[in-house]
């Protein structure tokens, strides 16, 4: 397994397997065709020796490095990783290897012994423990609250399992539950910018019976700092309430759900960060004022 072609292939294959382990749902698989047949016993070389992921115990670190620990069997086996930071957390994947083609290659002195080589094979993720959890920043959890966090995880899990219709429903519920927060936040920005007309309009909108109508007004007044490159997350949220959406397939809904996921995460994270930063600033200024007086 040492020549350049093989080592290049291995680099790509290990990245793909890392993605399978970290981000993909169960029963998803990757097919491999090495540049030349590899020994049957070498199939697991595509399993990465290290992973970068969150650790529930290592709360302060964003992500930690996890090292490959052991494999129980060759074809259907447990593959474990341990967090190198706390040396406590472990995570185990169950993988099934299926060979697509076997070639007998002479080896040993005089080539008398036949070695079994794989021409192609696939690896399928059939188990994961502890269960996969949607990656959720602490900032987002603070902004969404407990119910919002639970809905966000359900939405992300549905999306990951290919259930786009369900994912859209969960994300819409988050928006409905936070619609008043969204309006208040947009109204505050308008007031801070001295736009009294907009501020009045948004206040009037909060009396509106329908979440869709309230969201529409909010989207029209999204502050510039929440529209990176002109992309308006509130506009994306508003469009998720449009008619005709319920006729979409799971695949089509998944596209909508992905946009919602990104927009919800962006809007609420930036909002929460701004709020915390503003609070810290106000506190520092008050302290400084008390000291100088
Ligand atoms: Zn750890």
């Amino acid at each position: 397994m040492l020549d350049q072609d093989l080592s290049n292939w291995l680099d790509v294959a290990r990245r793909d397997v890392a993605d399978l382990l970290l981000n993909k749902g169960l029963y998803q698989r990757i097919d491999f065709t090495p540049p030349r047949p590899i020994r049957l016993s070498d199939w697991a070389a595509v399993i990465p020796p290290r992973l970068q992921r969150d650790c529930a115990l290592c709360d302060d670190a964003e992500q930690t490095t996890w090292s490959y620990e052991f494999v129980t069997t060759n074809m259907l086996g447990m593959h474990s990783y341990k967090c190198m930071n706390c040396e406590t957390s472990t995570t185990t994947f169950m993988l099934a290897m299926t060979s697509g083609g076997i070639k007998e290659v002479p080896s040993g002195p005089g080539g008398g012994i036949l070695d079994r080589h794989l021409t192609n094979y696939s690896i399928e993720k059939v188990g994961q423990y502890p269960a996969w959890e949607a990656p959720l920043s602490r900032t987002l959890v603070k902004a969404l609250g407990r119910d919002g966090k639970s809905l966000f995880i359900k939405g992300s899990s549905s999306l990951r399992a290919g259930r786009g219709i369900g994912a859209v429903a969960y994300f819409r519920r988050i928006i409905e539950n936070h619609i008043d927060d969204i309006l208040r936040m947009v109204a505050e920005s308008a007031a801070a910018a001295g736009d009294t007309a907009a501020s009045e309009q948004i206040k009037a909108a909060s009396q509106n019976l329908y979440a869709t109508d309230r969201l529409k007004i909010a989207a029209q007044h999204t502050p510039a700092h929440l529209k990176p490159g002109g992309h308006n997350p509130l506009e994306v949220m508003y469009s998720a309430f449009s008619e005709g959406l319920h006729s979409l397939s799971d695949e089509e809904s998944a596209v909508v759900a992905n946009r919602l996921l990104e927009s919800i995460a962006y809007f609420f994270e930036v909002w929460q960060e701004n709020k915390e930063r503003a609070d810290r600033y106000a506190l520092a200024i008050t302290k400084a004022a008390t000291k100088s007086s």
Side-chain angles (χ1 to χ4, degrees):
M1 292 286 278
L2 283 171
D3 64 69
Q4 197 56 46
D5 284 351
L6 263 182
S7 103
N8 290 343
W9 169 77
L10 209 53
D11 283 346
V12 175
R14 281 179 176 164
R15 271 200 296 276
D16 290 346
V17 175
D19 184 50
L20 177 77
L21 297 181
L22 295 173
N23 307 315
K24 298 286 162 60
L26 294 187
Y27 309 115
Q28 304 212 32
R29 56 189 273 171
I30 308 177
D31 299 314
F32 299 104
T33 307
R36 63 175 169 75
I38 57 166
R39 295 166 76 97
L40 188 58
S41 53
D42 282 340
W43 75 267
V46 296
I47 294 173
R50 300 263 191 279
L51 291 178
Q52 298 290 328
R53 64 194 303 267
D54 292 337
C55 173
L57 292 179
C58 303
D59 227 12
D60 297 333
E62 273 292 292
Q63 282 194 325
T64 54
T65 304
W66 296 55
S67 64
Y68 190 69
E69 289 285 301
F70 62 84
V71 49
T72 54
T73 65
N74 264 347
M75 303 301 175
L76 178 66
M78 306 292 187
H79 301 262
S80 286
Y81 288 86
K82 185 184 254 180
C83 173
M84 295 173 76
N85 194 41
C86 62
E87 298 195 322
T88 306
S89 297
T90 58
T91 189
T92 303
F93 303 96
M94 190 177 193
L95 301 177
M97 192 280 273
T98 316
S99 70
I102 295 269
K103 198 178 161 199
E104 308 259 310
V105 178
S107 74
I113 305 161
L114 288 178
D115 244 355
R116 307 183 80 196
H117 279 56
L118 286 164
T119 53
N120 60 82
Y121 65 108
S122 68
I123 288 180
E124 185 172 326
K125 176 157 123 182
V126 296
Q128 176 167 4
Y129 183 85
W132 181 84
E133 268 190 26
L136 216 69
S137 72
R138 263 169 287 167
T139 311
L140 188 57
V141 172
K142 264 192 226 162
L144 294 181
R146 223 172 51 142
D147 293 349
K149 177 190 172 187
S150 156
L151 288 167
F152 193 89
I153 289 174
K154 285 178 186 166
S156 309
S157 308
S158 303
L159 191 54
R160 190 163 167 273
R163 300 190 185 104
I165 297 171
V168 169
Y170 285 120
F171 291 140
R172 274 179 54 152
R173 182 65 62 80
I174 295 175
I175 299 164
E176 281 166 357
N177 290 351
H178 285 87
I179 186 73
D180 291 327
D181 293 333
I182 294 172
L183 274 177
R184 195 177 59 240
M185 190 254 144
V186 174
E188 278 168 11
S189 288
D195 192 342
T196 359
S199 166
E200 289 302 318
Q201 220 181 334
I202 302 162
K203 258 181 223 155
S206 51
Q207 311 299 319
N208 208 310
L209 194 59
Y210 299 106
T212 320
D213 296 337
R214 282 182 278 168
L215 198 53
K216 186 177 179 181
I217 302 286
Q220 285 164 355
H221 298 288
T222 312
H225 72 277
L226 282 169
K227 285 190 285 192
H231 301 291
N232 186 345
L234 293 181
E235 193 65 53
V236 175
M237 294 187 210
Y238 169 63
S239 68
F241 285 84
S242 71
E243 282 179 54
L245 211 61
H246 37 254
S247 61
L248 298 182
S249 68
D250 259 333
E251 289 74 25
E252 291 162 332
S253 297
V255 177
V256 176
N258 256 316
R259 283 211 303 266
L260 279 177
L261 183 151
E262 294 299 336
S263 299
I264 289 171
Y266 178 78
F267 183 85
F268 286 100
E269 268 176 14
V270 173
W271 172 31
Q272 183 71 26
E273 273 162 15
N274 279 346
K275 203 175 84 164
E276 285 174 17
R277 191 67 192 91
D279 288 350
R280 284 205 304 278
Y281 173 68
L283 191 71
I285 287 293
T286 319
K287 268 189 192 159
T290 327
K291 256 184 214 162
S292 65
S293 67

